[in-house]
């Protein structure tokens, strides 16, 4: 279908249409859903994880397509076929960052899949700061950007503290109970008519830290395991076979670097592009300004964490970037690029020596930068215990989990050895 004939989400559709989007991060997307509903959209995040999602993806896109594309497209086609929605009153939404792979091509692949499945009349919305496509009925204005910005910071904080407390809580389920309460409180304050003010957001940070500080915890030492990798497979339970739940059940303390670093990284990449290849100075200046503003916002969230007496400390984007430069050039920015290495180094710096690098099979940026740098990282950090795990429709879940169990076994042996000394 050419650009002129494809269906477009119009202003008139906003009132009656349901907008569906695939889930990537559980906490973050709960905030996104609430914000978009406040802005007048009938927005719904798809949380389906049944096997038919994968089967639908395999039918809808070429089997050489990267796993995240297969999953999100399969999830949306599956929703349209479910009978739950009036498909003549539905639009689909995907994010686009303008990168060289999934960040640019998913929407084109989704439209081809819709035609193949007989849903060629369903409009697709591109959620992008670069305005790669025009959807008159959806406007990502400054007010909404400010709300989304605040929600990512709060969600990163909630993810960080809940993963830690869940590992050490004395009363099972206590952390989850506090998490639900704090999510509800924060959504009430962020998903409002007007964007939240700086002081109020800092207060939310402090209240969250205080609430989680009060959760009684044991003194048992558990292996700390970080999760890095391709952004979808790193975060989405559908993409990584519920990796966080598996690690938690195996007795690990999970550490997942947040989404906010990736957002700042995108601005950094724009500056790097212009430095290396030339470009508009205004774009460079504006990207540098936004990067500085966002790092400042993140530092306020980190300050709230680092004041805690029970929660593990964080270093933040700026420090991570400086650590990454000692291993890899910042011009490596395809996909997750140098950020992937930066997250591993930051985890090691924080004492998280066990790392799972989750990647879709055949994802070249992850395989080259992720797997390709493991030896160098291990040479400089002999205590590091890093395992790269491939995820795709044909990958054996048992094999994936056995490799992770082997990593955990090595981690536990090392902890036992350290106790004796």
């Amino acid at each position: 279908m050419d650009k002129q004939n494809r269906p477009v989400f119009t202003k008139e559709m906003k009132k009656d249409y349901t907008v569906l989007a695939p889930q990537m991060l559980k906490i973050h997307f709960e905030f996104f859903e609430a914000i978009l509903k406040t802005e007048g959209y009938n927005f719904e995040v798809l949380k389906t994880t049944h096997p038919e999602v994968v089967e639908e993806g395999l039918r809808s896109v070429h089997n050489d397509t990267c796993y995240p594309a297969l999953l999100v497209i399969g999830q949306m086609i599956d929703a349209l076929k479910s009978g739950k929605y009036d498909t003549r009153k539905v639009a689909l939404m995907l994010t686009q960052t303008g990168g060289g792979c999934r960040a640019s091509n998913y929407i084109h692949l989704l439209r081809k899949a819709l035609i193949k499945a007989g849903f060629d009349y369903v409009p697709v919305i591109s959620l992008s700061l670069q305005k790669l496509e025009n959807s008159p009925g959806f406007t990502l204005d400054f007010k909404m950007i400010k709300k989304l910005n605040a929600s990512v910071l709060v969600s990163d904080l909630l993810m960080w503290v809940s993963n830690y407390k869940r590992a050490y809580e004395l009363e099972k389920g206590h952390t989850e109970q506090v998490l639900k309460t704090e999510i509800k409180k924060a959504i009430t304050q962020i998903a409002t008519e007007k964007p939240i003010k700086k002081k109020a957001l800092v207060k939310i940070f402090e209240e969250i830290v205080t609430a989680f500080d009060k959760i009684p915890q044991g003194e048992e030492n558990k292996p700390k395991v970080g999760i890095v990798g391709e952004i979808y497979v790193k975060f989405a339970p559908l993409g990584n076979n519920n990796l966080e739940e598996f690690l938690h059940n195996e007795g690990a303390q999970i550490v997942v670097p947040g989404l906010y670093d990736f957002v700042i990284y995108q601005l950094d990449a724009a500056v790097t592009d212009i430095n290396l290849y030339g470009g508009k100075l205004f774009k460079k200046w504006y990207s540098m300004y936004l990067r500085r503003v966002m790092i400042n916002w993140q530092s306020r969230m980190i300050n709230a964490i680092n004041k805690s007496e029970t929660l593990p400390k964080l270093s933040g984007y700026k420090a991570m970037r400086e650590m990454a430069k000692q291993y890899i050039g910042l011009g490596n920015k395809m996909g997750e690029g140098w950020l992937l290495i930066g997250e591993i180094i930051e985890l090691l710096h924080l004492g998280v020596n066990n790392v799972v690098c989750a990647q879709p099979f055949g994802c070249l940026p992850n395989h080259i930068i992720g797997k390709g740098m493991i030896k160098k990282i291990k040479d400089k950090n002999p205590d590091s215990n890093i395992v790269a795990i491939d995820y795709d429709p044909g990958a054996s879940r048992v094999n994936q989990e056995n490799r992770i169990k082997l990593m955990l076994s090595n981690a536990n042996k090392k902890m036992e050895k350290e106790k004796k000394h």
Side-chain angles (χ1 to χ4, degrees):
M1 183 179 293
D2 59 44
K3 288 184 178 181
Q4 290 182 336
N5 295 325
R6 71 188 182 202
V8 174
F9 187 71
T10 63
K11 291 179 180 178
E12 292 74 26
M13 292 176 178
K14 181 178 177 180
K15 181 182 177 183
D16 300 323
Y17 272 56
T18 299
V19 179
L20 304 177
Q23 188 190 62
M24 186 168 73
L25 300 101
K26 183 180 176 183
I27 298 172
H28 296 65
F29 277 55
E30 200 168 332
F31 279 85
F32 298 167
E33 190 172 58
I35 290 167
L36 285 167
K37 284 180 177 178
T38 302
E39 294 296 315
Y41 298 94
N42 184 17
F43 185 76
E44 184 179 329
V45 176
L46 296 171
K47 303 177 180 71
T48 43
T49 59
H50 51 259
E52 185 59 27
V53 168
V54 178
E55 294 303 315
E56 199 61 68
L58 287 168
R59 285 193 291 267
S60 300
V61 297
H62 194 279
N63 60 7
D64 283 341
T65 301
C66 80
Y67 193 41
L70 183 146
L71 288 178
V72 298
I73 292 171
Q75 194 175 40
M76 288 190 278
I77 300 294
D78 174 69
L80 293 177
K81 289 183 176 181
S82 68
K84 183 181 176 182
Y85 308 97
D86 177 357
T87 58
R88 294 284 175 179
K89 296 284 185 180
V90 165
L92 305 176
M93 178 182 284
L94 273 178
T95 56
Q96 278 188 299
T97 57
C101 46
R102 68 180 292 271
S104 294
N105 300 324
Y106 275 25
I107 284 186
H108 175 67
L109 291 171
L110 174 57
R111 287 198 174 104
K112 285 185 70 176
L114 287 170
I115 294 169
K116 187 177 178 181
F119 298 113
D120 55 305
Y121 51 84
V122 175
V124 180
I125 302 166
S126 166
L127 178 60
S128 169
L129 291 175
Q130 287 90 346
K131 296 184 179 179
L132 298 173
E133 290 194 8
N134 183 36
S135 296
F138 180 80
T139 306
L140 191 61
D141 56 21
F142 185 64
K143 182 177 74 168
M144 198 189 301
I145 290 171
K146 286 188 75 174
K147 291 181 183 182
L148 293 172
N149 177 69
S151 74
V152 174
L153 281 164
V154 171
S155 299
D156 276 359
L157 173 58
L158 287 164
M159 182 173 68
W160 180 262
V161 297
S162 62
N163 275 337
Y164 174 75
K165 283 291 184 174
R166 193 176 284 115
Y168 298 105
E169 62 186 5
L170 291 177
E171 181 188 340
K172 190 176 179 181
H174 193 170
T175 299
E176 191 64 27
Q177 184 183 351
V178 173
L179 177 62
K180 286 179 180 177
T181 300
E182 293 306 310
I183 287 174
K184 189 175 179 180
K185 281 170 57 181
I187 283 177
T188 302
Q189 295 175 75
I190 292 173
T192 54
E193 189 61 33
K194 293 182 180 179
I196 191 168
K197 297 286 179 70
K198 191 178 291 185
K199 271 189 177 181
L201 185 56
V202 171
K203 190 179 178 185
I204 291 176
F205 297 154
E206 292 170 347
E207 288 176 350
I208 288 171
V209 169
T210 300
F212 280 88
D213 261 340
K214 290 178 180 177
I215 298 174
Q217 64 184 67
E219 296 182 0
E220 178 189 0
N221 195 16
K222 295 189 175 186
K224 301 178 181 68
V225 181
I227 301 175
V228 301
E230 187 275 332
I231 189 168
Y232 181 84
V233 175
K234 167 188 170 183
F235 288 127
L238 177 61
N240 59 35
N241 292 331
N242 288 296
L243 177 58
E244 288 187 36
E245 183 182 343
F246 171 75
L247 286 168
H248 177 68
N249 291 338
E250 289 295 315
Q253 177 208 322
I254 307 154
V255 185
V256 187
L259 179 63
Y260 207 70
D261 285 334
F262 183 80
V263 180
I264 304 174
Y265 163 75
Q266 293 297 319
L267 294 169
D268 231 346
V271 176
T272 302
D273 266 348
I274 295 168
N275 287 341
L276 292 174
Y277 311 115
K280 294 180 180 179
L281 288 177
F282 176 76
K283 183 181 177 182
K284 177 182 175 180
W285 173 85
Y286 191 60
S287 297
M288 289 172 68
Y289 167 74
L290 288 178
R291 180 181 64 186
R292 186 169 66 250
V293 169
M294 293 185 74
I295 288 173
N296 180 265
W297 273 111
Q298 188 190 54
S299 69
R300 292 169 186 271
M301 183 263 282
I302 290 172
N303 286 342
I305 294 175
N306 292 348
K307 287 176 184 176
S308 165
E309 294 181 2
T310 69
L311 298 168
K313 304 295 184 277
L314 261 176
S315 50
Y317 181 86
K318 201 171 180 181
M320 178 188 63
R321 186 177 186 270
E322 290 304 309
M323 288 186 273
K325 282 165 64 176
Q326 300 171 33
Y327 291 80
I328 189 170
L330 300 185
N332 292 282
K333 55 182 189 55
M334 185 62 69
E336 285 64 42
W338 66 259
L339 179 69
L340 176 58
I341 306 307
E343 288 181 341
I344 295 174
I345 304 306
E346 182 185 28
L347 287 168
L348 298 178
H349 174 74
L350 296 170
V352 184
N353 291 325
N354 311 293
V355 180
V356 176
C357 183
Q359 51 200 17
F361 179 75
C363 178
L364 287 179
N366 272 257
H367 278 256
I368 292 169
I369 294 179
K371 278 186 178 176
M373 288 293 293
I374 288 176
K375 184 179 183 302
K376 183 174 182 179
I377 293 170
K378 285 185 173 180
D379 287 345
K380 288 192 174 186
N381 303 272
D383 290 334
S384 60
N385 183 18
I386 307 168
V387 60
I389 304 294
D390 289 338
Y391 291 90
D392 72 12
S396 163
R397 182 167 184 165
V398 172
N399 180 263
Q400 292 165 348
E401 292 180 351
N402 282 342
R403 292 186 65 209
I404 296 168
K405 282 180 180 180
L406 179 61
M407 181 201 73
L408 288 171
S409 175
N410 292 333
N412 284 316
K413 284 177 185 175
K414 188 165 184 249
M415 285 171 62
E416 287 298 319
K417 191 176 177 181
E418 287 171 351
K419 273 184 189 177
K420 291 176 182 178
H421 289 82

